[in-house]
Amino acid sequence: MSETTKSRATWSGKLAFVLSAAASAVGLGSMWRFPYLAAKYGGGMFLFMYLVFVFTIGLALLLLETSLGRKTGQSCIGAFKAFGKKYAFIGIFMSAVPFIIVPYYCVIGGWVTKYLFGYIVTAPEVLADGGNYFSGFITSGAESIIFMLIFMVLTYFIVALGVNKGIEKANLIMMPALIVMAVAVAIYALTLPGAMDGLAYYLIPDFSKFSPELVISALGQTFFTLSLAMGIMVTYGSYLQKSTKLTSSVSQIAGTTFAVSLLAGLMIVPATFAALGSGDAVAQNSGPSLMFIILPQVFENLGGAATIIGVVFFVLVLFAALTSSLSLVETCTSIISDGAGWSRKRSLVATIVFVTIMGVVVNLGYSSLSFIQPMGEGSSILDLLDFISNSVMMPIAALLTCVFVGWIIKPQTLIDEVRVSARFRLANVWSVVIKYIAPVVLVIILIAYVAQAMGLFSM
Ligand code: PHE
């Protein structure tokens, strides 16, 4: 994964590729971000939009990015440049996204690490106190920075030692374990009193909840979880052998990611509903802290087993988060090394310095810098970075990519690439999505959202 374009590494086969891409995809996006967004935006309606986006635009772009990478054998910037110098800017724009995401990703990684420690050293009731434990922790400054640094150091070490492959092998056990554990927790959470109404809130779309903001959040979440619109999948595709079937690989990646998100929502949303009593209360109280407040309450109901469940659960989430942060740090490193022509070591050091400083700033956004509330009352720097990357830059990057492939290099170029190893019966449908549907939908969503944000209409 780390070689330069001159001596490209390749995946050992389709399974290795699907597993690595799924490892990058399944992470905090599914476990932490999805449940709180679903809770915030009306449950079923958000789930429904996410489902629609994953299996339309998400799947189409996943195929586009991986086939573009495989065809050109280049990572993001090079892949666009391969068709003319003037297109390099698309790759450059996309490349900025992981640099915005990693710092706050590591902050959340630190929260997960803290909860793991919390379950090891304190009684489970202490963590299940309805949010005081959590807010005490994130506003602490020093303590939250320390846990972020622990998470970062783990990530940097793995990248620096180049043992990602070993980590990905371990994933072969950890990912199924995470799924089994999540199923068990979800089933248990559904037995809590009041959870059935919560289940209905989570699964049944309420179309009156529809709004441009919901739609753009579901779209951003699709890109975030599938690791799209930031060049990563182009790079992954560039390591692919010509014999790997792209069509079935991308379907498996999208299916796994959706399934894990669905499950994470089942563990958290109905339980939140049970605790708060109504959909409106759920929507008002949901934010980045949701998982860290609700899950300890669910676990506490288990009595004596709470500690064990808490430890095992957060180990697995930590693992899922690490495999994704690895992929983010790797990407930043290779962008710097390709862009500046620096050695891998020097590029990694530059990435580490940047990510660490930014991570500290994001952390302080909850303590000494908490007067900075960029997105209105009570918002944080983390919210701003999350918003800029997911709701602004990724939709624009996706739009540029679709126009580039649909109208400049033409879908046929990539259809031929996919057909080197697979039948691709839906090639025509895919062309229509890339040329017309995705760009039109993306433009409408962006315009509607800006109009709503500017107060031109309300929903
Ligand atoms: N897809 C990851 C998640 O859901 C986040 C991520 C994005 C990881 C981009 C790598 C690259 O947590």
Side-chain angles (χ1 to χ4, degrees):
M1 279 298 300
S2 55
E3 270 86 338
T4 59
T5 36
K6 275 169 231 120
S7 58
R8 285 200 95 70
T10 48
W11 303 109
S12 46
K14 181 180 161 200
L15 185 65
F17 165 64
V18 172
L19 282 175
S20 304
S24 162
V26 174
L28 294 172
S30 303
M31 303 300 301
W32 154 76
R33 204 171 184 276
F34 176 79
Y36 96 70
L37 289 176
K40 183 169 166 192
Y41 293 111
M45 191 60 216
F46 187 85
L47 179 64
F48 175 71
M49 284 313 298
Y50 177 65
L51 173 76
V52 169
F53 282 140
V54 166
F55 292 103
T56 52
I57 297 184
L59 204 50
L61 271 168
L62 206 46
L63 189 65
L64 182 160
E65 291 196 11
T66 45
S67 60
L68 181 67
R70 189 172 77 175
K71 177 165 181 69
T72 56
Q74 304 270 335
S75 52
C76 184
I77 302 179
F80 286 96
K81 212 166 155 189
F83 297 92
K85 261 209 161 75
K86 58 177 181 290
Y87 302 121
F89 82 96
I90 306 177
I92 295 172
F93 181 77
M94 286 175 131
S95 300
V97 177
F99 287 91
I100 301 178
I101 293 181
V102 214
Y104 82 80
Y105 206 87
C106 291
V107 172
I108 315 288
W111 297 357
V112 172
T113 315
K114 163 73 183 177
Y115 272 66
L116 173 57
F117 272 81
Y119 274 105
I120 295 173
V121 301
T122 42
E125 314 73 89
V126 179
L127 286 82
D129 68 349
N132 295 332
Y133 182 85
F134 181 76
S135 47
F137 165 63
I138 59 166
T139 54
S140 65
E143 197 197 358
S144 61
I145 291 178
I146 291 171
F147 278 99
M148 173 197 74
L149 290 176
I150 297 175
F151 182 82
M152 285 181 168
V153 167
L154 281 172
T155 307
Y156 301 154
F157 252 116
I158 299 170
V159 178
L161 297 176
V163 291
N164 314 20
K165 286 268 157 60
I167 296 294
E168 268 146 19
K169 284 229 176 73
N171 223 25
L172 211 53
I173 303 165
M174 299 294 238
M175 200 123 89
L178 177 67
I179 294 176
V180 170
M181 179 102 190
V183 171
V185 174
I187 292 175
Y188 176 73
L190 288 173
T191 66
L192 297 175
M196 280 303 136
D197 292 336
L199 184 65
Y201 175 73
Y202 177 52
L203 293 180
I204 303 171
D206 171 357
F207 287 88
S208 71
K209 295 273 164 35
F210 187 89
S211 74
E213 195 183 325
L214 176 151
V215 175
I216 202 152
S217 301
L219 181 73
Q221 179 64 6
T222 303
F223 297 146
F224 189 89
T225 45
L226 295 179
S227 309
L228 289 173
M230 52 186 118
I232 292 184
M233 285 300 150
V234 179
T235 310
Y236 272 43
S238 73
Y239 300 118
L240 274 175
Q241 290 163 354
K242 292 284 180 194
S243 57
T244 303
K245 279 201 175 109
L246 289 173
T247 41
S248 58
S249 305
V250 295
S251 314
Q252 286 161 7
I253 296 164
T256 311
T257 311
F258 179 79
V260 176
S261 301
L262 179 72
L263 260 176
L266 277 175
M267 295 191 309
I268 298 172
V269 182
T272 312
F273 193 98
L276 297 174
S278 80
D280 289 341
V282 171
Q284 274 157 22
N285 289 294
S286 295
S289 59
L290 187 65
M291 159 177 182
F292 301 94
I293 295 176
I294 291 299
L295 279 179
Q297 292 175 2
V298 173
F299 295 163
E300 198 202 1
N301 289 313
L302 288 160
T307 297
I308 292 283
I309 303 283
V311 171
V312 176
F313 183 80
F314 281 104
V315 165
L316 295 173
V317 174
L318 180 64
F319 209 84
L322 268 178
T323 54
S324 300
S325 66
L326 285 177
S327 134
L328 281 160
V329 168
E330 274 279 356
T331 308
C332 294
T333 306
S334 65
I335 288 167
I336 296 181
S337 136
D338 287 353
W342 289 358
S343 71
R344 180 177 153 77
K345 198 169 154 199
R346 196 162 164 200
S347 314
L348 178 60
V349 171
T351 306
I352 291 178
V353 170
F354 171 81
V355 172
T356 312
I357 294 174
M358 286 296 294
V360 170
V361 172
V362 175
N363 240 306
L364 293 179
Y366 291 100
S367 48
S368 33
L369 299 178
S370 63
F371 62 89
I372 304 178
Q373 303 191 346
M375 311 214 21
E377 190 69 33
S379 67
S380 63
I381 301 176
L382 188 148
D383 296 324
L384 177 70
L385 296 185
D386 189 68
F387 169 79
I388 292 182
S389 48
N390 286 272
S391 297
V392 182
M393 294 184 73
M394 283 146 81
I396 295 176
L399 177 61
L400 290 173
T401 318
C402 289
V403 171
F404 173 74
V405 172
W407 298 93
I408 296 169
I409 69 169
K410 302 282 166 9
Q412 195 59 42
T413 316
L414 297 184
I415 292 174
D416 293 342
E417 178 63 33
V418 175
R419 286 208 166 128
V420 170
S421 52
R423 298 257 301 277
F424 202 9
R425 281 192 224 99
L426 293 177
N428 288 335
V429 179
W430 182 78
S431 283
V432 172
V433 172
I434 294 299
K435 261 183 113 153
Y436 304 101
I437 300 180
V440 169
V441 169
L442 287 166
V443 167
I444 293 176
I445 294 175
L446 281 165
I447 292 179
Y449 179 66
V450 170
Q452 190 194 24
M454 287 170 42
L456 297 184
F457 69 93
S458 63
M459 268 184 102

